[in-house]
PDB file of all heavy atoms in Angstrom:
ATOM      1  N   THR A  55     232.868  94.024 168.189  1.00 46.00           N
ATOM      2  CA  THR A  55     232.471  95.383 168.640  1.00 46.00           C
ATOM      3  C   THR A  55     231.502  95.253 169.799  1.00 46.00           C
ATOM      4  O   THR A  55     230.648  94.360 169.819  1.00 46.00           O
ATOM      5  CB  THR A  55     231.813  96.161 167.494  1.00 46.00           C
ATOM      6  OG1 THR A  55     230.666  95.435 167.052  1.00 46.00           O
ATOM      7  CG2 THR A  55     232.761  96.323 166.336  1.00 46.00           C
ATOM      8  N   SER A  57     228.473  95.793 171.371  1.00 45.00           N
ATOM      9  CA  SER A  57     227.111  96.273 171.049  1.00 45.00           C
ATOM     10  C   SER A  57     226.454  96.813 172.310  1.00 45.00           C
ATOM     11  O   SER A  57     226.661  96.298 173.399  1.00 45.00           O
ATOM     12  CB  SER A  57     226.270  95.134 170.455  1.00 45.00           C
ATOM     13  OG  SER A  57     226.162  94.072 171.378  1.00 45.00           O
ATOM     14  N   GLU A  69     201.093 100.984 194.021  1.00 52.00           N
ATOM     15  CA  GLU A  69     200.629 100.714 195.371  1.00 52.00           C
ATOM     16  C   GLU A  69     199.164 100.323 195.314  1.00 52.00           C
ATOM     17  O   GLU A  69     198.387 100.897 194.576  1.00 52.00           O
ATOM     18  CB  GLU A  69     200.780 101.958 196.242  1.00 52.00           C
ATOM     19  CG  GLU A  69     202.226 102.377 196.444  1.00 52.00           C
ATOM     20  CD  GLU A  69     202.298 103.589 197.352  1.00 52.00           C
ATOM     21  OE1 GLU A  69     201.217 104.049 197.773  1.00 52.00           O
ATOM     22  OE2 GLU A  69     203.414 104.031 197.630  1.00 52.00           O
ATOM     23  N   THR A  82     174.860 106.979 203.618  1.00 50.00           N
ATOM     24  CA  THR A  82     173.476 107.125 203.179  1.00 50.00           C
ATOM     25  C   THR A  82     172.563 107.036 204.373  1.00 50.00           C
ATOM     26  O   THR A  82     172.596 106.050 205.107  1.00 50.00           O
ATOM     27  CB  THR A  82     173.129 106.010 202.170  1.00 50.00           C
ATOM     28  OG1 THR A  82     174.052 106.080 201.085  1.00 50.00           O
ATOM     29  CG2 THR A  82     171.687 106.178 201.679  1.00 50.00           C
ATOM     30  N   PRO A  97     148.102 119.880 215.268  1.00 43.00           N
ATOM     31  CA  PRO A  97     148.617 120.644 216.393  1.00 43.00           C
ATOM     32  C   PRO A  97     147.563 120.806 217.480  1.00 43.00           C
ATOM     33  O   PRO A  97     146.385 120.969 217.209  1.00 43.00           O
ATOM     34  CB  PRO A  97     148.988 121.999 215.772  1.00 43.00           C
ATOM     35  CG  PRO A  97     148.164 122.078 214.532  1.00 43.00           C
ATOM     36  CD  PRO A  97     148.029 120.667 214.040  1.00 43.00           C
ATOM     37  N   LEU A 155     139.579 122.026 217.417  1.00 94.00           N
ATOM     38  CA  LEU A 155     138.219 121.903 217.927  1.00 94.00           C
ATOM     39  C   LEU A 155     137.712 120.485 217.737  1.00 94.00           C
ATOM     40  O   LEU A 155     138.246 119.717 216.930  1.00 94.00           O
ATOM     41  CB  LEU A 155     137.297 122.898 217.201  1.00 94.00           C
ATOM     42  CG  LEU A 155     137.724 124.377 217.235  1.00 94.00           C
ATOM     43  CD1 LEU A 155     136.711 125.224 216.467  1.00 94.00           C
ATOM     44  CD2 LEU A 155     137.903 124.865 218.656  1.00 94.00           C
ATOM     45  N   VAL A 183     135.877 130.195 204.825  1.00 90.00           N
ATOM     46  CA  VAL A 183     135.257 130.913 205.933  1.00 90.00           C
ATOM     47  C   VAL A 183     133.895 130.297 206.231  1.00 90.00           C
ATOM     48  O   VAL A 183     133.052 130.163 205.345  1.00 90.00           O
ATOM     49  CB  VAL A 183     135.096 132.409 205.604  1.00 90.00           C
ATOM     50  CG1 VAL A 183     134.391 133.139 206.745  1.00 90.00           C
ATOM     51  CG2 VAL A 183     136.456 133.036 205.325  1.00 90.00           C
ATOM     52  N   TYR A 213     141.375 124.635 213.085  1.00 96.00           N
ATOM     53  CA  TYR A 213     140.615 125.776 212.591  1.00 96.00           C
ATOM     54  C   TYR A 213     141.434 127.046 212.828  1.00 96.00           C
ATOM     55  O   TYR A 213     142.384 127.049 213.619  1.00 96.00           O
ATOM     56  CB  TYR A 213     139.268 125.907 213.311  1.00 96.00           C
ATOM     57  CG  TYR A 213     138.299 124.787 213.030  1.00 96.00           C
ATOM     58  CD1 TYR A 213     138.442 123.549 213.663  1.00 96.00           C
ATOM     59  CD2 TYR A 213     137.236 124.957 212.154  1.00 96.00           C
ATOM     60  CE1 TYR A 213     137.540 122.522 213.417  1.00 96.00           C
ATOM     61  CE2 TYR A 213     136.330 123.927 211.900  1.00 96.00           C
ATOM     62  CZ  TYR A 213     136.493 122.706 212.539  1.00 96.00           C
ATOM     63  OH  TYR A 213     135.608 121.687 212.288  1.00 96.00           O
ATOM     64  N   ALA A 231     138.141 135.767 223.896  1.00 97.00           N
ATOM     65  CA  ALA A 231     137.973 134.510 224.628  1.00 97.00           C
ATOM     66  C   ALA A 231     137.272 133.512 223.725  1.00 97.00           C
ATOM     67  O   ALA A 231     136.440 133.891 222.872  1.00 97.00           O
ATOM     68  CB  ALA A 231     137.175 134.734 225.913  1.00 97.00           C
ATOM     69  N   THR A 235     131.038 125.461 224.878  1.00 90.00           N
ATOM     70  CA  THR A 235     129.881 125.676 225.746  1.00 90.00           C
ATOM     71  C   THR A 235     129.122 124.368 226.001  1.00 90.00           C
ATOM     72  O   THR A 235     129.361 123.368 225.343  1.00 90.00           O
ATOM     73  CB  THR A 235     128.945 126.711 225.119  1.00 90.00           C
ATOM     74  OG1 THR A 235     128.517 126.237 223.819  1.00 90.00           O
ATOM     75  CG2 THR A 235     129.644 128.036 224.935  1.00 90.00           C
TER      76      THR A 235
END
Side-chain angles (χ1 to χ4, degrees):
T55 59
S57 60
E69 295 182 0
T82 303
L155 305 180
V183 178
Y213 293 78
T235 59

